[in-house]
Amino acid sequence: MSALETPFALRLLPGGSYAGRSRMLLLRSATAARRAWMAFFSGFFEPVFYLVAMGQGLGSMVGPLPGPDGSPISYIAFIAPGLLAASAMNGAVFDSTFNVFFKLKYARLYDAMLATPLGPVDVALGEIGWALLRGGLYALGFLAVMGGSGLLVSPWALLALPAALVVAFAFAAVGMAATSYLRSWQDFDLVTLVIMPMFLFSTTFFPLSVYPRWLQVVVECLPLYHAVELMRGLTTGLVGPGMLVHVAYFAVMIVLGVAVAARRLDVLLLK
Amino acid sequence: MADGLVQARGLYKRFGAIEAVRGIDVDVARGEVFGFLGPNGAGKSSAMRMIACVSPRTGGELQVLGMDPGRDGPRIRARIGVVPQLDNLDAELSVRQNLEIYGRYFGLPRAHVREKARELLAFAQLTERADDPVEPLSGGMKRRLTIARSLVNDPELLLLDEPTTGLDPQARHLLWERLYRLKREGVTQIITTHYMDEAEQLCDRLVVMDHGVIVAEGSPAELIERHATREVLELRFAPEARPEPEVLAPLVERVESLPDRLLLYTADGERAQAEVARAGHRPLSALVRRSSLEDVFLSLTGRTLVD
Ligand SMILES: Nc1ncnc2c1ncn2[C@@H]1O[C@H](COP(=O)(O)OP(=O)(O)O)[C@@H](O)[C@H]1O
Ligand SMILES: [Mg+2]
């Protein structure tokens, strides 16, 4: 799935780390998801609830906000792209943190896989790939909701789905890499501690201009901020070369995440 | 040993300050069932994991199927089957899916693994449970499924790490019977165990491991012949009536003193029992039995295998 990242990850890892068979992990995950599809879709609804509750509820009390080009847009139109980005993030993060941790520490699933010709890069790419598919599916569902609500006003919105896949890929890769450093379920409070404020501050609900300058700088460093800005531009049709910065940001996350995740599987399991 | 499937020379494994395997020589020939017998912590699993190419060796030489695990890990793993000490079945998949998906990890085509899974379900006597989840299976069934899974790629070499630990006697015997069958079919097996009866039943040849080193090597019969007498007289005494081992030593070849009993090694247990009685000792119970690998281990290390 990522012909681009693999050679890089391979160079960081000892030989035999990659059998080119990560799609078998996707097959495994799809087979498992068929047995537990409720759990799979549960995470999709959270951003939809936010859209309805905040967009309708809060939106009726707040007036229009400045859109990407400065012209005013309705509150619901402002938060929808932010929640779209959050959808992609949620699906990817949930799978690449909780699920990966369970398989790594309790189910010893990756030990079983590494006893076959599969290597750590196959496992990392396969699991990250599944998490990205999940994020992508949530984003697709959310896009459908947005379309149904008349919130997609530009043909550029067609690119929102591939963009969501890139965002999900980046969060999944970094999520799996970070999870490999967690020691117990208690450490998951850290994940919440990172995700929750990022969700609130990354211009999801308020424009950047409401924050003091120092906080603006912090927000501009957050990955979700780049995802939200990317989505807001695409769904409203305000597309510029500045967007390549966002894409580059995610490319770096992807390459680092995959490389670190595979390296950590090697260190943790092949000792 | 040109056609040896596994050849280790001075194989060594260290985890930080712990020396798990301290230089062992091992040769496993095609078609044989080879055992690592030793107590917990002897280094059996560490040795197995190096042979399975999932743990890099710290030192020494190792060849598996004529290749170097350090360089050809994936190619070796494609041709071996592994039953780890702790089951790691996929709880999110059904019994059948566990076999089919695992086969796919080896790159085997869909139609092939489907047929293979059917065959292996029958072998593991799990056909009736094929579409059940894994979790409710009994310990013996899970173990059989793990063994079936290890066969999905038709391995030339099967590595079984404590295949029957924790199983009840009936489940163990069923499992042993399956392993015999594989042996008859010509599958080379390496088994670790801390059960001497398992080693005696299954292994053509074995090494006794203790504290990371091999302390003896041979067939079960050879080891017993070399390190124990034909028979053992087991005596239990009331604490106040228990004689010192040295008192009984002249009557037999060797005496081992365990907390709850004395073991007298001799060619003729009945005669030794009569002589003990003649010398005026009154045991609560006396049992004459044939020597086992347990006695070999005791004689080599002064300790029992399972305590
Ligand atoms: N991954 C590991 N990290 C640290 N120490 C280990 C690890 N695996 C095994 N050991 C240590 O190596 C020694 C041998 O263990 P092991 O090979 O599991 O023995 P056995 O399988 O014979 O019970 C033990 O002291 C054990 O604690
Ligand atoms: Mg062990």
Side-chain angles (χ1 to χ4, degrees), chain B residues 39-41 43-46 85 161-162 192:
Chain B
N40 277 331
K44 305 182 298 293
S45 293
S46 303
Q85 184 168 346
D161 197 354
E162 307 213 3
T192 78

Short mmCIF file of all heavy atoms in Angstrom, two decimals, chain B residues 39-41 43-46 85 161-162 192, ligand 2:
data_model
loop_
_atom_site.label_atom_id
_atom_site.label_comp_id
_atom_site.label_asym_id
_atom_site.label_seq_id
_atom_site.Cartn_x
_atom_site.Cartn_y
_atom_site.Cartn_z
N PRO B 39 14.33 -28.09 33.45
CA PRO B 39 13.37 -27.39 34.31
C PRO B 39 13.08 -25.99 33.78
O PRO B 39 13.74 -25.52 32.84
CB PRO B 39 14.09 -27.32 35.66
CG PRO B 39 15.54 -27.32 35.30
CD PRO B 39 15.67 -28.15 34.05
N ASN B 40 12.13 -25.31 34.39
CA ASN B 40 11.84 -23.92 34.03
C ASN B 40 13.09 -23.06 34.16
O ASN B 40 13.83 -23.19 35.13
CB ASN B 40 10.75 -23.35 34.94
CG ASN B 40 9.37 -23.74 34.46
OD1 ASN B 40 9.17 -23.96 33.26
ND2 ASN B 40 8.44 -23.86 35.38
N GLY B 41 13.30 -22.22 33.17
CA GLY B 41 14.45 -21.32 33.23
C GLY B 41 15.74 -21.92 32.70
O GLY B 41 16.78 -21.28 32.71
N GLY B 43 16.52 -22.49 29.70
CA GLY B 43 16.93 -21.88 28.44
C GLY B 43 16.34 -22.57 27.22
O GLY B 43 16.73 -22.29 26.09
N LYS B 44 15.36 -23.45 27.45
CA LYS B 44 14.77 -24.20 26.34
C LYS B 44 14.07 -23.28 25.35
O LYS B 44 14.30 -23.35 24.14
CB LYS B 44 13.74 -25.23 26.88
CG LYS B 44 14.30 -26.17 27.93
CD LYS B 44 13.26 -27.18 28.39
CE LYS B 44 12.03 -26.57 29.06
NZ LYS B 44 12.30 -25.91 30.35
N SER B 45 13.20 -22.40 25.87
CA SER B 45 12.46 -21.52 24.96
C SER B 45 13.39 -20.57 24.23
O SER B 45 13.19 -20.29 23.04
CB SER B 45 11.41 -20.70 25.74
OG SER B 45 10.42 -21.54 26.25
N SER B 46 14.39 -20.08 24.93
CA SER B 46 15.34 -19.18 24.28
C SER B 46 16.03 -19.88 23.12
O SER B 46 16.20 -19.29 22.04
CB SER B 46 16.38 -18.69 25.29
OG SER B 46 15.75 -18.07 26.37
N GLN B 85 5.30 -21.59 23.36
CA GLN B 85 4.97 -22.08 24.70
C GLN B 85 3.57 -21.62 25.12
O GLN B 85 2.82 -22.39 25.70
CB GLN B 85 6.03 -21.57 25.70
CG GLN B 85 5.81 -22.12 27.09
CD GLN B 85 7.00 -21.86 27.99
OE1 GLN B 85 8.09 -21.51 27.55
NE2 GLN B 85 6.80 -22.04 29.27
N ASP B 161 7.15 -25.97 21.65
CA ASP B 161 7.65 -25.54 22.95
C ASP B 161 6.64 -25.90 24.03
O ASP B 161 5.58 -25.30 24.11
CB ASP B 161 7.91 -24.02 22.93
CG ASP B 161 8.82 -23.57 24.07
OD1 ASP B 161 9.15 -24.41 24.93
OD2 ASP B 161 9.19 -22.38 24.09
N GLU B 162 6.97 -26.90 24.82
CA GLU B 162 6.09 -27.41 25.88
C GLU B 162 4.68 -27.65 25.37
O GLU B 162 3.71 -27.04 25.84
CB GLU B 162 6.07 -26.43 27.06
CG GLU B 162 7.47 -26.12 27.53
CD GLU B 162 7.55 -25.87 29.03
OE1 GLU B 162 6.52 -25.99 29.72
OE2 GLU B 162 8.65 -25.56 29.50
N THR B 192 10.37 -29.18 23.36
CA THR B 192 10.90 -28.90 24.69
C THR B 192 9.87 -29.37 25.70
O THR B 192 8.67 -29.34 25.45
CB THR B 192 11.14 -27.41 24.95
OG1 THR B 192 9.88 -26.79 25.24
CG2 THR B 192 11.80 -26.72 23.79
MG MG C 2 10.06 -22.18 28.15
#
